[in-house]
């Protein structure tokens, strides 16, 4: 896996899109220590993002929330796949109607997630 893009979102949070060897992308947005959801698990927060929040954890003194593009309806991107996964591609079938979630798609999802995180009030309940 590799970082495909890292930037500061328009809402002011750090974000990353990771390209995985299996052919899909994941997006992550961080919150600082003073954010009310810092330290919350992924199932404690209500963020509207592709496939739902599937990750929460600490990296570089920031708390990160993430989602993945490996759900039903998500196609694998052969350009991201390692040679190992390309060799077993027969087992990694995409179905009619599945779509590759592009880098642009993932950047937009991260930007949306960042605005949602910015809107969290310090007394906001979690789900």
């Amino acid at each position: 896996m590799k970082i495909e893009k890292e930037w500061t979102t328009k809402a002011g949070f750090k974000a990353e899109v990771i390209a995985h060897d299996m052919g899909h992308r994941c997006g992550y947005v961080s919150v600082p220590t003073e954010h009310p959801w810092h330290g919350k698990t992924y199932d404690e927060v209500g963020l509207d993002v592709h496939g739902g929040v599937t990750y929460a954890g600490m990296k570089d003194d920031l708390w990160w929330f993430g989602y993945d593009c490996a759900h039903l309806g998500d196609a694998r991107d052969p350009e991201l796949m390692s040679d190992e996964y390309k060799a077993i591609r027969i087992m990694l079938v995409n179905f009619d109607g599945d779509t590759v979630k592009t880098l642009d798609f993932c950047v937009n999802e991260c930007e949306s997630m960042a605005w949602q995180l910015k809107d969290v009030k310090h007394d906001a309940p979690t789900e």
Side-chain angles (χ1 to χ4, degrees), residues 47-66:
L47 294 169
D48 181 18
V49 65
H50 177 76
V53 179
T54 56
Y55 174 84
M58 182 73 90
K59 176 185 160 198
D60 301 330
D61 294 327
L62 296 170
W63 192 256
W64 294 80
F65 293 104

Side-chain angles (χ1 to χ4, degrees), residues 11-46:
F13 297 116
K14 290 185 179 186
E16 293 181 349
V17 174
I18 305 291
H20 282 270
D21 296 346
M22 290 180 64
H24 66 277
R25 292 176 173 88
C26 297
Y28 302 90
V29 176
S30 67
V31 294
T33 332
E34 61 274 6
H35 191 278
W37 285 0
H38 186 278
K40 299 288 183 185
T41 64
Y42 67 87
D43 57 352
E44 291 182 292
V45 298

